[in-house]
Amino acid sequence: MAGPSTPGRRLGGRLSRAAAAGIATVLALAGCAGPTGNARTDAADASGDGTLRIGVLLDNTGQQSFLNASQLAAAKLAVKEINAAGGHKGRPVELLPAAVGTDTAAQAKNLVAAKADVVIGPTDSSRAADAIDVLARAKVAIISPANTAPGLSKYKSGGYYFRTAAADVAQASVLVKLAKDGGAKTLAVLHEEGSYGKEVAVAVSAAAKAAGLGTAVDAEFQPGQAQQAAAAAKSAAPDAVVLVARDGAQGAIAELNNAGLAGKKLLLSDGAVNQYGQGLASKALDGTRGVLPGVFPSAHFQAELVAVDPALKDMAFAAETYDAVNLAGIAAAAAQDDAGASIASRLIAVSGGTGGPTDGAAGEAAACKSYQECVAALTAGKRADYEGQSGPINFDSNGDVTAAAYMVYSYGPDNTAKMTGSEMARSAGT
C-alpha cells in the first residue's frame, strides 16, 4: 500500500489530455436542462421507505482498477459500523451490490432501479456528469470521494451533488504558503496546457497576490516542449517556481533543472508528484517539495480496512469514501428520513458547513468523529459536526469541501520523495 515514502498516485482527478478536453466541453454545456430547485438548501418533506440504501459507483478499469478495492472496503467498513450502532431508525442500512464499468449512466440507472437513496462515486471527474444527470433527476444524493475538476462546482445537479475530495484549485494556497515559508518574495508559474494546468495556475497567481507575493511570469507549455517556458522563468529570476503539470511534468522538471530552477526553488503540484529516481539527473529534485491531497491513513484505520479486505494493497480515496458514507448516514439521521432529497438537504449542516436550511437551528454544534457519536449528539438536541478520516469537511453551497488537507512531500538527492508534513487549505485556492 502507498506509504509515506511512496506517494500514491491520486488518479481520480488525473485525466489524459483528451479526457480533460472532454470534461471541459461537458461542463461548458452544464447550463442544459437539469433538475429544478436546490436540494442542498431547500427543506425536504419525508418521502423515504424506511430503509437507507447506499450504492457505490465504481468506474475504474485498466491501470486505475486498484482504486475500486480501497473505496469498496471503506464503504463496507462504514456501513458495518453504522449498523453496529443501530442502523437507520433501527433498521439495517443496505450497501447495494457494486459493479465495475465505464458506462456510468448505465450503472447509475441500475442503482436507481435498486432504490438507492445515495450513491458514492464516481471516481473519474470526466464521468461525473453522466452520473449526476441520471441520479439527480431520480432525486438520489451523490457524494464523490474523488472528483477534483473545478468546473463540477457549478454543474447543474439540482443540489444533489457533493464531493469529499477537494477541487484541484484548492492546492494553490498550500503551494504559495510553502513558497513563502521558504523565504520567496516572487514566484514563477509554469503550467501544462489544458484545463488542469490553466485553472490551478490562475489559482496560484491569485493566492500569491493575496499572500503578498509577486508573480514574475506564468508560462504555458505542451508536454515535451517546456524549454521556452523554462527560459522565460529563468529570465524573470524568481525566488521560487511552481510547476503545475501532469503528463509533461518530468520533461518540464528536466528543463527547469537545466535552467538552474529545480532543487530547492521548485514546488510541484499534485499532478507532478512522483518517484522520479534515475529518470532525472542526479540531485535534480534535491530539496524540491510537492503536495498530494488528503491525509495519510492512520495505522488503526488501515488495520480496519485490511480486516474488511485482507488483499487490500492501496488506500487511495478510502478516507474520503468512508467519510462520504458516514455523512450520508448522519444526514439521514438528522432528517429522520432516508430519501435522497432529505439527505441532500442535511449534508451541509452535518458536515459543519454553512448555507443549508438548518443553519441557525437550535442547539450548539458538537464535533463528532463517527456515526455513533454524531447520532448521540443529534439525540441530545445538538447539531452534529462530522470530522472524518479525511479531515474537516464543511460543505459549502456548491457541495464542495471548504477545508482540505494536503500531505507535503520533500525530495532527496536520489529524486525520490518522502512525506514530511501536512497543510490545510481553508478555501478554494486562496
Side-chain angles (χ1 to χ4, degrees):
M1 63 189 68
S5 61
T6 307
R9 296 295 284 168
R10 304 297 295 239
L11 298 175
R14 296 169 192 263
L15 308 175
S16 66
R17 292 168 65 189
I23 191 173
T25 300
V26 169
L27 296 179
L29 298 175
C32 297
T36 58
N38 188 342
R40 297 186 195 113
T41 57
D42 295 343
D45 294 327
S47 58
D49 61 8
T51 299
L52 175 58
R53 298 179 182 87
I54 299 175
V56 180
L57 205 164
L58 302 174
D59 58 330
N60 306 294
T61 57
Q63 292 183 346
Q64 296 192 33
S65 60
F66 73 93
L67 294 170
N68 296 325
S70 58
Q71 293 177 72
L72 190 56
K76 288 179 177 178
L77 175 62
V79 169
K80 177 183 177 181
E81 292 177 352
I82 290 171
N83 286 335
H88 174 66
K89 299 178 72 172
R91 298 177 67 173
V93 171
E94 294 183 9
L95 182 63
L96 299 174
V100 178
T102 56
D103 190 340
T104 306
Q107 284 195 72
K109 289 174 183 176
N110 289 338
L111 289 169
V112 171
K115 299 183 179 179
D117 299 300
V118 60
V119 168
I120 311 303
T123 303
D124 198 319
S125 292
S126 68
R127 298 194 178 102
D130 287 340
I132 293 169
D133 290 347
V134 172
L135 297 170
R137 284 190 175 88
K139 297 184 177 180
V140 175
I142 310 133
I143 312 174
S144 172
N147 292 167
T148 61
L152 289 168
S153 298
K154 299 298 183 181
Y155 194 85
K156 287 193 175 180
S157 71
Y160 284 94
Y161 176 75
F162 298 78
R163 48 183 169 175
T164 48
D168 290 323
V169 294
Q171 66 188 288
S173 62
V174 176
L175 291 167
V176 169
K177 181 179 184 298
L178 292 176
K180 191 170 184 177
D181 288 350
K185 291 183 171 55
T186 61
L187 56 82
V189 181
L190 267 69
H191 73 267
E192 187 174 302
E193 69 170 6
S195 58
Y196 168 79
K198 290 178 181 178
E199 289 165 347
V200 176
V202 168
V204 168
S205 294
K209 182 178 180 180
L213 300 185
T215 302
V217 65
D218 182 358
E220 183 178 77
F221 66 92
Q222 295 180 1
Q225 302 179 34
Q227 184 175 9
Q228 187 173 350
K234 181 178 181 179
S235 296
D239 297 323
V241 178
V242 175
L243 174 63
V244 184
R246 285 177 173 153
D247 296 342
Q250 183 165 328
I253 292 170
E255 294 293 354
L256 286 167
N257 185 48
N258 292 337
L261 295 175
K264 293 181 179 180
K265 283 182 175 286
L266 185 58
L267 296 159
L268 304 180
S269 73
D270 65 339
V273 174
N274 206 343
Q275 302 292 29
Y276 292 100
Q278 295 181 356
L280 291 169
S282 178
K283 299 184 179 182
L285 289 176
D286 192 14
T288 294
R289 289 169 294 169
V291 299
L292 287 176
V295 295
F296 190 73
S298 67
H300 177 71
F301 185 52
Q302 291 186 58
E304 289 183 314
L305 290 168
V306 172
V308 172
D309 180 0
L312 198 61
K313 300 297 183 184
D314 194 280
M315 301 292 175
F317 303 121
E320 291 86 351
T321 301
Y322 177 84
D323 289 345
V325 174
N326 272 316
L327 283 163
I330 298 162
Q336 283 294 292
D337 184 48
D338 57 274
S342 296
I343 292 169
S345 73
R346 299 301 180 103
L347 277 170
I348 291 177
V350 301
S351 73
T354 58
T358 55
D359 261 10
E364 63 179 307
C368 45
K369 296 183 179 295
S370 69
Y371 174 82
Q372 186 173 20
E373 285 184 17
C374 290
V375 169
L378 292 169
T379 301
K382 297 179 180 180
R383 290 183 287 125
D385 176 1
Y386 178 72
E387 296 182 0
Q389 289 289 338
S390 63
I393 309 295
N394 303 342
F395 287 133
D396 65 13
S397 59
N398 290 321
D400 288 335
V401 298
T402 53
Y406 282 85
M407 297 174 286
V408 179
Y409 284 82
S410 299
Y411 285 84
D414 59 353
N415 299 326
T416 61
K418 293 182 179 180
M419 182 181 170
T420 54
S422 61
E423 294 286 348
M424 187 69 65
R426 291 293 177 184
S427 61
T430 60

